[in-house]
Amino acid sequence: MKISDIGEFNWIERIKKLYPQVLPDGIRGIGDDCAAVPWDKDYYKVFTTDMLIENTHFLLNEISAYELGHKSLAVNLSDIAACGAKPETAFLSIGLPPDTSVAWTDEFFKGFFSLAKKYNTFLLGGDSCKSQDSLIINVLVTGIIKKDHYKSRDTAKTADLICVNGNLGDSGGGLRCILNKIERNKDIEFLIKKHHLPEPQINEGMFLSEFKGVTAMMDVSDGLGSDLKRIIDDSAKGMIIDLENLPISKEIKSVSEQLNWNIFEVALKEGEDYCLLLTINPDEYEMINNAYLKKFGKKLVVIGKVTDKDFDKNSDPVYRLYAKVVDTGKDAFRQF
Ligand code: ADP
Ligand code: MG
């Protein structure tokens, strides 16, 4: 059996089963955007790490050194935002091919530190190695959060509203344009910029973490389709999604029309939007959304609702619309 036969999630589950750990009281381990360790009576320290590998996560001749420095930190900060925490420190390990120019690495760090400064994150260490063939980057970020503000993926409740706080599909559309070598225009440049310079939702995550009515939260990294499945499965719930409500930018709409893409497929299947996906108690949605709108000038867009696990998906017209996309997609989409 190959790893590719079972997929990343099942592989992680397998490790957890083969080598079960009894964690000391109060520690939150594998399974969420961040792990959390009690710091004192009231606070958790949180930890997350993400790796970027040349030709798997980026193409060196497409992304600038500045953008890659920014993105390496941004994807980690996004996981900190996902649990509502405030970032504090970062560690950077990097495997560099020996012919990498010093000027390139200077630019990389310019991008890294510009974002680090914005979110008060201090680079405290790391490791540097020679890599024979490809550039490999691993970042670890730590943060801090009040224990009763910490948001996880497994606490969505039946009837909660499912919301996102940003457009879906821009980054994935940008990636498609890069991979298919589509001739650039203004809209395509916009999408590629979204792909290369994602903005971690740190302030938004910290703000939302203060509301009890936000019942679960994660970031959209693998694609809305598979990330929705995680929040729902981890919470042992079902869902209905209204595809017509997915927030879609005019740029991805126009590029999808131009290139004959199924817009829902782009929005659900391609990843790296790095917006927040959250569930909100329906009685508190209006209050939370109003406060959020006032603070950030944008809405928490309702895209569906949480149902019981055994909800009959065929009884709902919205779900059928979703299922139509399921049939045209592949991999994780069939599992819905
Ligand atoms: P995210 O997309 O939020 O970064 P992942 O899908 O990468 O999360 O990982 C899901 C969970 O599995 C996380 O809690 C992560 O820490 C854990 N995980 C991933 N890879 C490993 C590994 N090699 N060893 C231990 N835990 C892992
Ligand atoms: Mg995440």
Side-chain angles (χ1 to χ4, degrees):
M1 183 170 54
K2 292 183 200 140
I3 288 176
S4 57
D5 294 333
I6 59 174
E8 186 194 346
F9 304 148
N10 292 327
W11 179 76
I12 293 169
E13 285 308 311
R14 183 183 162 89
I15 296 173
K16 276 167 70 179
K17 271 202 203 103
L18 280 175
Y19 303 99
Q21 307 179 93
V22 182
L23 295 178
D25 244 13
I27 294 184
R28 307 177 59 99
I30 297 175
D32 230 308
D33 295 287
C34 291
V37 179
W39 178 243
D40 61 16
K41 194 166 70 51
D42 297 322
Y43 283 87
Y44 280 132
K45 285 275 177 181
V46 298
F47 302 84
T48 186
T49 180
D50 248 318
M51 185 152 60
L52 282 84
I53 298 179
E54 184 182 349
N55 296 331
T56 302
H57 298 98
F58 60 90
L59 297 170
L60 211 42
N61 56 357
E62 294 288 349
I63 191 166
S64 72
Y66 182 96
E67 289 166 336
L68 190 58
H70 170 107
K71 189 164 178 175
S72 307
L73 181 59
V75 300
N76 282 277
L77 287 177
S78 180
D79 278 325
I80 296 282
C83 63
K86 176 175 169 300
E88 291 188 318
T89 74
F91 293 79
L92 166 69
S93 297
I94 187 159
L96 287 163
D99 59 355
T100 309
S101 83
V102 174
W104 187 95
T105 60
D106 287 353
E107 273 298 301
F108 174 92
F109 280 103
K110 204 167 158 187
F112 186 97
F113 279 112
S114 153
L115 190 66
K117 201 168 161 208
K118 182 168 179 185
Y119 293 114
N120 289 313
T121 307
F122 300 97
L123 180 64
L124 295 193
D127 194 16
S128 313
C129 299
K130 186 166 98 176
S131 166
Q132 215 45 261
D133 305 311
S134 53
L135 180 58
I136 299 168
I137 300 154
N138 183 74
V139 176
L140 179 148
V141 176
T142 73
I144 190 156
I145 186 164
K146 269 197 175 146
K147 283 181 185 169
D148 59 356
H149 287 179
Y150 178 90
K151 301 295 178 196
S152 56
R153 298 172 179 176
D154 57 0
T155 38
K157 308 274 180 299
T158 300
D160 283 351
L161 301 175
I162 302 175
C163 304
V164 287
N165 82 329
N167 287 338
L168 299 158
D170 286 350
S171 171
L175 177 62
R176 280 191 179 194
C177 290
I178 293 170
L179 295 178
N180 295 314
K181 299 189 166 45
I182 309 289
E183 198 185 326
R184 311 278 159 102
N185 60 27
K186 228 171 117 225
D187 287 344
I188 291 174
E189 295 289 356
F190 171 90
L191 301 180
I192 291 176
K193 193 160 169 242
K194 291 281 177 192
H195 183 68
H196 285 157
L197 288 172
E199 188 63 35
Q201 304 293 294
I202 291 291
N203 295 327
E204 293 83 346
M206 283 168 64
F207 181 82
L208 290 166
S209 76
E210 294 187 14
F211 294 94
K212 281 245 173 316
V214 174
T215 50
M217 191 155 75
M218 68 181 295
D219 65 327
V220 180
S221 56
D222 291 335
L224 182 71
S226 95
D227 289 330
L228 267 172
K229 183 169 160 52
R230 290 214 230 172
I231 219 165
I232 290 302
D233 284 357
D234 289 358
S235 304
K237 296 290 176 193
M239 66 180 156
I240 51 172
I241 295 294
D242 186 351
L243 284 182
E244 300 298 330
N245 278 352
L246 297 186
I248 303 283
S249 72
K250 63 178 188 342
E251 288 84 359
I252 187 66
K253 205 165 171 212
S254 134
V255 172
S256 294
E257 274 163 19
Q258 184 193 323
L259 299 172
N260 217 6
W261 292 343
N262 177 332
I263 185 84
F264 296 128
E265 207 177 294
V266 181
L268 289 164
K269 229 173 90 176
E270 308 290 354
E272 303 204 51
D273 296 298
Y274 295 111
C275 60
L276 296 172
L277 168 63
L278 57 153
T279 54
I280 302 182
N281 180 317
D283 298 331
E284 294 181 49
Y285 170 77
E286 202 178 326
M287 181 271 290
I288 295 172
N289 183 51
N290 283 343
Y292 183 85
L293 185 65
K294 200 165 158 208
K295 171 109 179 141
F296 296 104
K298 53 184 180 180
K299 272 177 59 176
L300 296 167
V301 182
V302 179
I303 61 168
K305 70 174 183 201
V306 180
T307 66
D308 284 334
K309 197 177 167 59
D310 55 6
F311 175 77
D312 175 11
K313 35 192 187 265
N314 295 320
S315 70
D316 192 284
V318 172
Y319 196 99
R320 278 208 293 279
L321 183 55
Y322 192 77
K324 224 161 83 187
V325 179
V326 174
D327 290 342
T328 62
K330 52 175 184 165
D331 308 329
F333 283 84
R334 294 200 185 283
Q335 296 167 23
F336 276 93

